[in-house]
Amino acid sequence: MRFDVSAPTAEIAGSAERFPVRRIFCVGKNYADHAREMGGDPTREPPFFFSKPADAIVGGAGDIAMPPRTDNLHHEIELVVALAKGGANIASDDALSHIFGYAVGNDLTRRDLQADAKAGGRPWDMAKGFDHSAVLSPIRPAAEVGHPTAARIWLSVGGTVRQDGNIADMIWPVADIIAELSTYVELKAGDLIYTGTPAGVGRIVAGDVVEGGIDGIGTIANRFL
Ligand SMILES: CC(=O)CC(=O)C(=O)O
């Protein structure tokens, strides 16, 4: 018996080597303006974690098929952190030393399923963790780009900018995300962390070209079919 299994990997910018994706963690409501647009109160509800399967990764260039079972697919542009090493209970001031690099992600969301799940007190898995739901640009090594703390993050649909923020406005900065997440799970090399999205999330329909980027890190450009 032969099994058709291959471990998911992600592109590393300027390298023939690939980054082995182990797990995908995501931060919810990590920008106050987005927390408010989702009906939350960032002064009362801290950010939180959820996850996607590792094989949800899809490249940040090229075509993406519209996913099934949704009439309201949303874009969420995000800074993504790729870990070179892991650990449990990582101290915030040691957290950046665990990072291999950074990328631009689009945390695709079946918003209608998420709203139903929220209303029913059910898990978000089918709203967040579907096939091709984790768009990712090539990863830029921190050895080249450093550890960005302020940079424009933006996304446009059909050339119209919908999300336009700055990673400086994250409620939990990257070091705090790693420290906090490592109190829940032992982090490992190969883990990716989508760090949350600024305001302006919205609907994607078939035919849309979705572009986005983070200054100094990279860009994505996908057509949805
Ligand atoms: C409300 C969300 O969809 C959570 C999320 O993915 C984010 O805030 O980012």
Side-chain angles (χ1 to χ4, degrees), residues 27-29 34 38 50 76 78 107 111 114 128 196-197:
V27 184
K29 297 186 181 170
H34 172 61
M38 296 306 295
F50 59 93
E76 296 191 359
E78 312 207 354
D107 165 17
R111 194 70 76 201
Q114 186 188 41
K128 287 288 195 177
T197 199

Side-chain angles (χ1 to χ4, degrees), residues 20-209:
V21 180
R22 186 168 190 278
R23 291 173 295 187
I24 302 175
F25 297 103
C26 306
V27 184
K29 297 186 181 170
N30 197 25
Y31 290 77
D33 56 359
H34 172 61
R36 280 191 288 268
E37 78 176 346
M38 296 306 295
D41 177 353
T43 64
R44 297 165 66 94
E45 181 198 4
F48 54 89
F49 298 105
F50 59 93
S51 57
K52 294 178 185 259
D55 67 357
I57 285 292
V58 62
D63 294 346
I64 297 177
M66 290 294 286
R69 303 293 297 258
T70 184
D71 291 319
N72 198 11
L73 179 69
H74 270 209
H75 54 78
E76 296 191 359
I77 190 80
E78 312 207 354
L79 175 69
V80 181
V81 177
L83 294 188
K85 62 177 183 171
N89 301 311
I90 296 168
S92 212
D93 58 10
D94 183 36
L96 298 186
S97 72
H98 294 70
I99 294 173
F100 168 71
Y102 295 90
V104 180
N106 187 356
D107 165 17
L108 293 173
T109 302
R110 294 194 276 211
R111 194 70 76 201
D112 42 2
L113 299 196
Q114 186 188 41
D116 288 350
K118 282 183 187 172
R122 295 192 301 270
W124 288 10
D125 300 43
M126 291 300 114
K128 287 288 195 177
F130 51 93
D131 297 339
H132 316 304
S133 61
V135 178
L136 192 71
S137 75
I139 300 169
R140 302 281 308 279
E144 287 169 19
V145 297
H147 296 284
T149 52
R152 182 181 180 226
I153 177 170
W154 62 275
L155 179 140
S156 67
V157 178
T160 301
V161 174
R162 289 193 183 169
Q163 292 188 268
D164 199 353
N166 196 296
I167 62 168
D169 294 329
M170 285 196 277
I171 296 170
W172 284 344
V174 168
D176 290 358
I177 291 170
I178 293 171
E180 181 75 10
L181 183 55
S182 74
T183 67
Y184 287 93
V185 292
E186 182 179 347
L187 292 170
K188 301 274 188 181
D191 288 343
L192 295 176
I193 308 172
Y194 282 62
T195 60
T197 199
V201 300
R203 189 169 181 208
I204 299 169
V205 297
D208 279 344
V209 174

